[in-house]
Amino acid sequence: MRWGGGGPRSGALPQLTRRDALLAAGALPFSCLAQPPTSTTTLQQLARRSGRFFGAAVQPEQLARDPAFRAAVAAHCGVITPELALKWGAVQPTPRRLAFDAADSLAHFGRRRFLKMHGHTLLWHRSVPDWARSAIHEPNGWEVVRRWFEIAIPRFKGTTIWWDVVNEPIEPQDHAQGLRRTPFLQAFGADYIRRALESARALGGDGAKLLINEYGLEYPDAEDEARRRQLLHLVDALKRAGAPLDGIGLQAHLRLSRGNIDQEVLAAFLRELASRDLAIVITELDVREADYGLPVAQRDARVGDAVRQLLQPVLDEPAVRGVITWGLSDRYSWMNHEGESGFGVRGGNRGLPLDAQLAPKPFFDALAETLRYARPAVAA
Ligand code: G3I
């Protein structure tokens, strides 16, 4: 394995020139967009060197009200993920009310800057509209799911290249086959995942790659090992059934309290996924700190080390197509919302590439460095 090196620290974020910032903010005419930013090495440019993409989860309000943040997203990202806007509960709160404004504005932002969108997420037990929770138990309840797919998938055809078709279906404690007892499992049985993939393929064609997205796959402890085993069992069952599964999303929400990642264990798991002809995307990378009382420089160094520990084996795997962080700046991290550990902490949780002032941190450096020295990805 080539992980000892990693090359020199990439240094501070090269400053965007005024032209690049205006370009990225969409403040210059389309004619200028033809020439991409020239004077900076952005995370997307580093990712493209190995045939990959870099992206971040965002909310439209953050882009609309914060030009500096908007410029950073447009400069560094080749893909954006709607953090909230494409969840069923957010889009269809009642059977006849469709709230696509937020997702549409993100798709428009992406199209104007040649960014793609990562479709998050079609089926997730934590975002099922109340009316749908009961409707799916009615006779022909699957039609409710299929109609949701029918309004969501074609709307973003061409803009959305990846769909998290089923989010977090694994829960070893819940079900004999290690599947979480979601409303969909209860209504349709274990076969709901195959049906979801087939419905999504029928509506999205081959243009959109279909993923199962999951958390808790990264650490060497018994909990994550059970989740990795159950996921591979699910993948094998889906492959036997001929389900159109294109890949797996590893959310990669890291927690410093869980200790080190065993790079060999993680690399072996990635190889098992790749051997099943699956693409791999890191879909929600961020780091939850463990000791907020340390000096900030030490906190940031620990976060950067955790990111490097994850990404060295990840970016040594050709089946990995891209890395998406769950936010780009601590200024908008979900972990600093009420009820989360970083809420109210001095400066909040520092678990993203840029700090709240949009300055790069060791997280950014670790990301840039591992992208710079990544093994080429397999052709998409
Ligand atoms: O905007 C309202 C605000 O007006 C209101 O005062 C406040 C009351 O708590 O709620 C705010 O909405 C919150 C929203 O985030 C925006 O901040 C919702 O309550 C809260 O549930 C929502 O949480 C999101 C969560 O998914 C549930 O959708 C997080 O931001 C988002 O980061 C998180 O993302 C998930 C992925 O989708 C799946 N993987 C795990 C990841 C983290 O949980």
Side-chain angles (χ1 to χ4, degrees):
M1 294 301 173
R2 309 172 316 118
W3 304 321
R9 192 171 183 277
S10 60
L13 175 72
Q15 288 308 311
L16 286 174
T17 63
R18 183 173 181 282
R19 175 185 173 278
D20 289 343
L22 289 172
L23 263 176
L28 289 178
F30 268 102
S31 55
C32 295
L33 283 177
Q35 305 92 34
T38 54
S39 60
T40 59
T41 303
T42 68
L43 292 172
Q44 172 62 4
Q45 287 166 340
L46 288 169
R48 284 176 62 87
R49 288 185 184 185
S50 62
R52 293 183 173 87
F53 61 81
F54 171 74
V58 292
Q59 297 181 35
E61 302 76 15
Q62 300 161 359
L63 301 175
R65 72 184 177 210
D66 190 338
F69 178 72
R70 181 171 65 236
V73 169
H76 286 293
C77 296
V79 170
I80 51 175
T81 301
E83 184 175 358
L84 304 170
L86 255 185
K87 293 171 178 173
W88 196 1
V91 173
Q92 198 176 17
T94 65
R96 286 174 184 69
R97 179 157 179 274
L98 293 178
F100 273 117
D101 292 358
D104 287 346
S105 73
L106 289 175
H108 178 70
F109 175 87
R111 280 193 290 271
R112 279 194 66 195
R113 293 164 180 82
F114 313 111
L115 312 184
K116 292 296 184 184
M117 204 153 80
H118 184 100
H120 179 79
T121 175
L122 292 170
L123 294 185
W124 186 32
H125 62 283
R126 283 184 53 193
S127 187
V128 185
D130 291 342
W131 64 270
R133 282 180 187 277
S134 47
I136 59 176
H137 290 278
E138 301 297 323
N140 201 22
W142 185 259
E143 191 53 20
V144 172
V145 172
R146 198 195 61 76
R147 274 204 299 273
W148 156 234
F149 283 26
E150 196 172 50
I151 58 175
I153 296 173
R155 190 183 189 97
F156 301 102
K157 203 163 189 174
T159 305
T160 299
I161 49 172
W162 302 91
W163 274 106
D164 293 339
V165 177
V166 181
N167 194 41
E168 304 176 5
I170 299 292
E171 181 38 79
Q173 311 297 329
D174 267 8
H175 184 275
Q177 297 173 51
L179 295 179
R180 185 186 298 275
R181 289 187 58 74
T182 68
F184 316 111
L185 183 80
Q186 292 168 319
F188 308 114
D191 201 32
Y192 85 91
I193 300 173
R194 177 191 62 78
R195 296 176 76 180
L197 291 166
E198 289 187 355
S199 297
R201 177 71 92 227
L203 287 157
D206 293 335
K209 298 300 179 195
L210 308 181
L211 301 178
I212 289 173
N213 190 43
E214 192 54 82
Y215 70 88
L217 301 168
E218 297 80 19
Y219 287 98
D221 54 25
E223 179 186 347
D224 282 14
E225 181 56 27
R227 299 175 64 80
R228 287 190 287 270
R229 290 298 118 210
Q230 293 297 359
L231 180 63
L232 290 171
H233 176 77
L234 171 61
V235 164
D236 290 342
L238 288 168
K239 289 285 184 183
R240 283 194 300 271
L245 175 64
D246 298 313
I248 298 295
L250 278 73
Q251 291 185 11
H253 288 292
L254 304 184
R255 290 170 176 260
L256 296 187
S257 60
R258 297 194 60 183
N260 289 326
I261 281 171
D262 182 316
Q263 294 187 324
E264 299 295 343
V265 166
L266 180 57
F269 175 61
L270 297 175
R271 286 196 298 272
E272 291 207 61
L273 292 175
S275 70
R276 290 163 169 82
D277 195 24
L278 293 171
I280 301 164
V281 179
I282 300 299
T283 52
E284 304 184 17
L285 174 58
D286 59 15
V287 182
R288 188 184 295 273
E289 295 182 69
D291 186 348
Y292 294 103
L294 293 172
V296 166
Q298 211 174 320
R299 290 170 56 187
D300 289 352
R302 289 186 175 194
V303 168
D305 290 345
V307 168
R308 186 175 288 103
Q309 218 173 60
L310 173 92
L311 291 183
Q312 283 176 332
V314 160
L315 293 170
D316 204 48
E317 171 50 63
V320 171
R321 302 297 176 77
V323 176
I324 299 172
T325 52
W326 203 244
L328 185 63
S329 160
D330 301 332
R331 184 180 292 183
Y332 298 117
S333 168
W334 70 287
M335 281 191 254
N336 295 326
H337 293 169
E338 197 170 340
E340 292 300 335
S341 69
F343 183 73
V345 167
R346 181 167 46 90
N349 191 79
R350 297 173 63 88
L352 286 170
L354 305 180
D355 70 12
Q357 288 68 46
L358 305 184
K361 296 183 291 171
F363 184 136
F364 182 99
D365 296 341
L367 182 52
E369 196 179 285
T370 46
L371 285 172
R372 189 187 301 271
Y373 297 100
R375 180 180 289 187
V378 293

